[in-house]
Amino acid sequence: MSRQTLLGLGFIGPALLATVMFFLLPVVLTVVFAFTNMSTSTGILGGDYQISESDLRRLPAAGVIDQTVTLLTGAGYAVQPDTLARFAADFGDSRAEELASLHDGARFDDRRAMERALKDLRREPLRKVRDRKTAAELFRVSILGQRFDNEAAFQTAITDLGVPQTDHAALTDAAYTGWTFTTQNFELLWELPATWRYALNTVIYVALTLTFNVSVGLFLALSTFYLPNRSAQTFRAIWFLPRILPPVLYVLMWQWLTWDQGFISAILRPFGVEPINWMRHTATHAWTFIVLINGCVGASLGMILFTSALRAIPQTQLYAAQVDGANRWQQVRHVLLPQMRWPILFITSYQTLSLLTSFEYILLATDGGPGRQTEVWALAAYHTALSNYGGNLEYGLGAAYALALVVIGILLSALYLRFFNFSALVAKPRIEQ
């Protein structure tokens, strides 16, 4: 291998590593998580085996017979080291030693038989019926609430209880507290009414904001193109401020404008308009300001890129158009816009993908309110997987939301390439063919 090849690999190696770690790996993990039921309750590193009281109610629906449910609730009573230890802790070592000498290893079918065994104590008898009933419960044999580290230990425990072999598989599945592979996340996305609401909100958000970004950005670029150079640079710098401001500070400025004691309410109060929170008062208000907040950021990027593209157009074409008698509008329509297809394609596709996956400005401005009416798909994925009010973070369902966005983004990119005739844009000029 030549020295130049080694040098090239040395330069490209960090970039490849960063691509794998920060792009490919997250995408692969998103696909994997989307097909699991991973959540806070299951953990992300696997789980153990446990049957709880709430699980008992679901076992008959899983095909477990009633006899097995009874065995799990309590499979008789037994005098063995662990139950004797519990008895000694509550009723004394001397009583435990006497009971062990009389009934060590004995098993009893019901509580009444266990109470009779306790009644046989002579040195320190349990005289009260209430005490004997309490003590008898200490000898109940049950696996409810017990955690088993692996499947083999759990299978051994239910075998010792006398659970029929036919119920072992259903019980093992019900007892496993870790995550498993499943397609239920996508079935849930299809069935939940909220999913379609989030999808509609996303369409509204992307369509309105994208229209604002592209049209205003193009308008600003064309307007400043004909201004003197110094004035145009000043104007572009002012419009670029929203993009370079930290998002939290930028949204706080909008909230100061729109809250009930803010600038807008202060201006309208002398005209008899009651102070309201203009950003969250209604869904229409919320959408208006969400589009404006995101639109000013997106339009500034479009303005810069469109301006660069306009400056790359040879000035001689404009001079020729002027000689032919074309006015400013005719120059824009017939000379500038036809050569802006590639920049418009890039901004449209880039902004679409960016808006599909962005939610930080909505999170800071309305957090999906009022009443989840501005909750877009990406924000729903964030709330589901990383921050919800229920406390149980559903990583698998959140990843399913994200994976759906990846698929939609790929489809929209292919549609844009087709609509803008990408093959013609990258083809060699005819003079070079």
Side-chain angles (χ1 to χ4, degrees):
M1 188 176 293
S2 66
R3 182 177 298 179
Q4 290 181 345
T5 303
L6 290 175
L7 183 62
L9 290 176
F11 279 113
I12 201 173
L16 290 176
L17 181 61
T19 301
V20 172
M21 292 296 296
F22 301 111
F23 177 73
L24 293 180
L25 185 59
V27 171
V28 171
L29 289 178
T30 298
V31 175
V32 173
F33 288 175
F35 289 93
T36 69
N37 63 342
M38 195 179 295
S39 65
T40 303
S41 59
T42 65
I44 61 174
L45 299 177
D48 45 26
Y49 294 82
Q50 181 184 22
I51 294 291
S52 63
E53 291 281 354
S54 60
D55 293 328
L56 293 178
R57 296 189 293 269
R58 297 192 293 267
L59 290 178
V64 177
I65 62 176
D66 293 339
Q67 178 187 355
T68 297
V69 176
T70 303
L71 289 173
L72 294 172
T73 305
Y77 299 78
V79 181
Q80 51 195 25
D82 58 333
T83 56
L84 281 171
R86 293 199 297 265
F87 179 69
D90 290 350
F91 292 95
D93 293 335
S94 59
R95 285 173 173 162
E97 291 173 0
E98 183 181 0
L99 183 62
S101 64
L102 294 174
H103 303 287
D104 189 21
R107 300 182 71 92
F108 304 94
D109 293 333
D110 53 38
R111 190 179 68 184
R112 183 169 298 179
M114 187 68 233
E115 289 179 14
R116 283 196 296 267
L118 292 170
K119 195 175 182 180
D120 291 341
L121 299 178
R122 297 305 178 193
R123 292 197 299 268
E124 295 183 60
L126 294 174
R127 301 185 183 280
K128 295 182 179 180
V129 176
R130 182 178 180 181
D131 289 343
R132 288 199 296 271
K133 289 182 177 181
T134 302
E137 288 301 314
L138 299 176
F139 294 92
R140 180 190 289 273
V141 179
S142 175
I143 65 170
L144 287 183
Q146 295 186 37
R147 288 186 175 272
F148 300 90
D149 294 334
N150 51 65
E151 183 178 345
F154 179 73
Q155 294 276 359
T156 301
I158 60 178
T159 301
D160 293 342
L161 285 178
V163 174
Q165 190 68 33
T166 54
D167 287 338
H168 279 209
L171 275 182
T172 303
D173 291 341
Y176 185 57
T177 61
W179 57 270
T180 58
F181 286 102
T182 179
T183 59
Q184 291 181 352
N185 293 327
F186 298 97
E187 297 172 4
L188 193 61
L189 288 182
W190 184 262
E191 295 172 359
L192 285 176
T195 301
W196 301 104
R197 180 61 182 174
Y198 300 152
L200 178 61
N201 289 344
T202 304
V203 171
I204 294 173
Y205 169 61
V206 173
L208 294 180
T209 309
L210 182 65
T211 302
F212 185 97
N213 289 351
V214 176
S215 59
V216 174
L218 187 58
F219 173 77
L220 293 173
L222 291 170
S223 300
T224 56
F225 179 72
Y226 287 102
L227 289 178
N229 192 37
R230 180 173 296 181
S231 300
Q233 289 180 350
T234 303
F235 192 77
R236 295 187 197 111
I238 294 173
W239 263 94
F240 203 68
L241 286 175
R243 176 160 290 275
I244 62 177
L245 283 176
V248 174
L249 178 60
Y250 176 59
V251 175
L252 281 176
M253 294 173 59
W254 279 95
Q255 290 178 341
W256 174 77
L257 285 172
T258 59
W259 73 313
D260 54 357
Q261 299 298 322
F263 180 77
I264 296 178
S265 294
I267 293 297
L268 297 178
R269 188 181 292 111
F271 298 96
V273 179
E274 291 294 327
I276 60 174
N277 188 329
W278 291 91
M279 187 180 293
R280 299 194 181 193
H281 184 63
T282 63
T284 302
H285 287 157
W287 278 120
T288 299
F289 284 100
I290 284 174
V291 171
L292 289 175
I293 290 171
N294 287 271
C296 290
V297 174
S300 62
L301 177 63
M303 175 190 67
I304 296 299
L305 293 179
F306 290 147
T307 299
S308 299
L310 288 171
R311 286 182 173 274
I313 297 175
Q315 290 289 320
T316 54
Q317 296 184 12
L318 296 177
Y319 297 152
Q322 289 179 350
V323 170
D324 290 338
N327 57 29
R328 289 289 173 85
W329 167 243
Q330 290 171 333
Q331 290 177 18
V332 169
R333 180 180 177 185
H334 298 289
V335 178
L336 300 181
L337 286 182
Q339 300 183 72
M340 294 288 289
R341 289 176 59 193
W342 174 257
I344 292 174
L345 166 63
F346 174 77
I347 287 294
T348 303
S349 57
Y350 172 80
Q351 293 278 14
T352 300
L353 298 179
S354 177
L355 291 170
L356 276 174
T357 57
S358 68
F359 60 87
E360 64 273 18
Y361 289 109
I362 301 178
L363 175 67
L364 293 170
T366 66
D367 196 20
R372 298 299 176 196
Q373 294 187 75
T374 58
E375 181 101 347
V376 294
W377 194 280
L379 184 58
Y382 167 77
H383 281 151
T384 303
L386 299 175
S387 176
N388 63 43
Y389 299 108
N392 183 31
L393 303 178
E394 299 178 87
Y395 309 126
L397 184 58
Y401 274 109
L403 183 57
L405 283 181
V406 172
V407 174
I408 293 172
I410 293 173
L411 294 176
L412 285 177
S413 298
L415 181 64
Y416 283 144
L417 294 177
R418 180 68 175 175
F419 179 77
F420 283 93
N421 196 7
F422 178 75
S423 58
L425 289 176
V426 297
K428 286 185 179 182
R430 293 183 179 180
I431 195 172
E432 298 181 9
Q433 294 178 0

